[in-house]
Amino acid sequence: MTSVSSIPSWNPSPSSAPAATASRADTPSSPAPTPSAIVAFGGPPAVSSLVPSPMVWESASRDKVSEAMTKSFSSYAFGGRFSGLGAAMLGQAKLGNYNFSQAMRQPPPSTSPNVYAASGIAPGSLHGNGEDNVSLSITTRSGVEVKLSLDSQGDGLAVNMTTSGELSDAEASALGDLAKGFQEAIDGLGQSTPKIKLAGLMQFDQQVLASVKLHAEVKVRGEPESVQTLDFQADGAQRKVSFIGEAGSLDLKVDASQLNTLGSKERQAKALGSYMKQFDQAASRGHGDAGLVAMLKDSFTALHSNTAAPQVATDTPETGKWRLAAEDKSILTGLADFSASVSQAVKFSNPMRSAEKDGFNYEVSQKTVQAGASQDARSIRQQQQSKLSASYHETLVPGVPLRLTTSTESQNYTYHQIEDTASSDAQVAYKDGKMVKASLRQEASQSEHVMKYFLGKLESDKTTPGNYSVLRDLLPVLGPYKTGEKDTSPEARMEQRKQALLTLSDDVLLQSYAGQTVSMWQADVLPEKSEAAAA
């Protein structure tokens, strides 16, 4: 088992400098030095023993960002160095101050004055060179690019914000509205167990902003040292997240270009809930790292937010190949297409058997294809798939930690190998405007191989397989030409059809719960059980 390592503090050093405060709007009456100037605040050091040197600033300008830097610099909490800084920077953009640069540095203690000046190292050299750094790039629909950067290392802190052109009031306001989300993303990575918090950034105003990109790099101080990185990108067509750290890696991509396949908010919420359960089930069955799986769940939910199906049906939708009928959408999950994978860092915890490893790999995806020569000859097919490969060691005595060594006395355990797959394939097809094909096939395969060792000797070796398959003809439910019972009123038939579509929309969701057979439907083909279990 692997756990997400704590991200140590951002190497802060205490500050004895007073805060620099004010924005561009309230510039001091006295002329400020140029950004390259070195400005020292505070009196000369004492001549006795070593005393803290005065803080040195890149610029003497006073604004909310400089004030936040002063407060956060002395913080020893996880991620404390950037605490409040992201929000302060985007907050300035909302006030019209969206081009600024600031850096601060704490020289080493000394008995001599002006040591920092003598060293010739300017605070501005921190820009782009921080051991911990975060950058945010936002492009407006008018083409203006806004870039923010935060850099930190042991003795200094630097921030920078630039724009490629003038921002309208609406653009500046849209930037400011992302202040809280930006800070949440920064603070999430700074937690002892890192979290991916992108829900706030995903709520960007798509009418004003074209894209949002985030990159974060955090140094993990330990033996050995390592780096954890996060990359996020979202625009009107795609969203993606990737994370690499000590615990493992995560990759998630969402294709939001086919808006006509999206369902209602309620439909999407139900599908998201189903996938959340499956992620938890996979983690439980494969003993996956809780931190990585939490990242998957948070990212998956965030990247599927801020999307909505077109409200007005048209013959030629702006996104998507065809205008889809209610029958078409009933076989779809309502979510945008996606691919996701989590890969846990492999561990070899048994020195006596080097071939045994502890690992967790989980993949899940959805793909929708719209084809056909015309609206009346259209076809829609949606495929969902999941795959779990995992292996782990487990103690024979519940509650007693497993400590495997080269000693045979320690070799009392079970070694588990999990291989699960699941798929769902739903499709409909039309000819001359009439539905001629509608089907749903769902399959699941689950296998667990368990070897039991006692005092280093193999006591049992057992494999438990399970294979299930269901094929359903959906024409009786979806076919628009079924007249129904003669005694049934048109209103009653309409209500029955509505309920049938709602039920079907639940049935098409991927079924990959461990140990659970694929759902059975009335009047469906019976599942074909594999004979492998009896072998």
Side-chain angles (χ1 to χ4, degrees), residues 22-26 63-65 87-100 161 167-169 171-177:
S23 66
R24 188 180 63 177
D26 26 281
D63 53 35
K64 294 294 184 182
V65 176
M89 294 174 73
L90 283 179
Q92 287 294 290
K94 199 165 188 175
L95 299 175
N97 183 17
Y98 39 77
N99 280 287
F100 57 84
M161 182 172 181
L167 295 175
S168 67
D169 290 343
E171 291 169 339
S173 179
L175 288 177
D177 290 341

Side-chain angles (χ1 to χ4, degrees), residues 90 177-186 197-201:
L90 283 179
D177 290 341
L178 292 179
K180 182 179 178 181
F182 183 33
Q183 192 61 54
E184 288 174 347
I186 295 173
K197 297 296 184 183
L198 300 172
L201 281 179

Side-chain angles (χ1 to χ4, degrees), residues 1-5 189 194 196 220 226-230 241-251 288-293 295-296 341-347 358-362:
M1 276 294 294
T2 307
S3 62
V4 178
S5 302
L189 275 181
I196 298 180
V220 180
S226 62
V227 174
Q228 294 186 143
T229 61
L230 171 68
V241 171
S242 70
F243 172 84
I244 300 176
E246 278 192 316
S249 62
L250 161 72
D251 281 289
D289 182 86
L292 279 176
V293 176
M295 287 183 178
L296 171 63
S341 66
V342 171
S343 182
Q344 188 171 304
V346 175
K347 299 288 186 181
D358 299 296
F360 177 86
N361 292 277
Y362 181 63

Side-chain angles (χ1 to χ4, degrees), residues 5-88:
S5 302
S6 301
I7 298 182
S9 64
W10 308 72
N11 279 345
S13 302
S15 167
S16 59
T21 58
S23 66
R24 188 180 63 177
D26 26 281
T27 305
S29 55
S30 58
T34 62
S36 61
I38 299 177
V39 183
F41 292 92
V47 182
S48 54
S49 58
L50 290 176
V51 295
S53 301
M55 189 70 66
V56 181
W57 291 79
E58 176 186 30
S59 170
S61 63
R62 294 177 173 272
D63 53 35
K64 294 294 184 182
V65 176
S66 300
E67 181 180 345
M69 292 174 68
T70 303
K71 292 179 179 178
S72 64
F73 186 75
S74 58
S75 172
Y76 286 86
F78 290 114
R81 275 292 178 88
F82 294 157
S83 177
L85 271 182

Side-chain angles (χ1 to χ4, degrees), residues 327-356:
E327 292 78 12
D328 303 337
K329 288 199 170 186
S330 67
I331 69 161
L332 306 178
T333 65
L335 296 178
D337 287 349
F338 63 88
S339 63
S341 66
V342 171
S343 182
Q344 188 171 304
V346 175
K347 299 288 186 181
F348 296 91
S349 59
N350 190 356
M352 186 171 284
R353 294 182 176 84
S354 59
E356 295 178 354

Side-chain angles (χ1 to χ4, degrees), residues 90 135-140 146 174-175 178 182 198 200-205 209-215 231-236 238-240:
L90 283 179
S135 61
L136 181 69
S137 176
I138 303 173
T139 303
T140 70
V146 182
L175 288 177
L178 292 179
F182 183 33
L198 300 172
L201 281 179
M202 270 304 308
Q203 300 310 308
F204 66 98
D205 188 342
L209 305 179
S211 68
V212 177
K213 298 179 183 179
L214 173 72
H215 173 79
D231 285 283
F232 160 71
Q233 178 180 343
D235 54 39
Q238 67 172 352
R239 296 94 182 271
K240 55 185 179 180

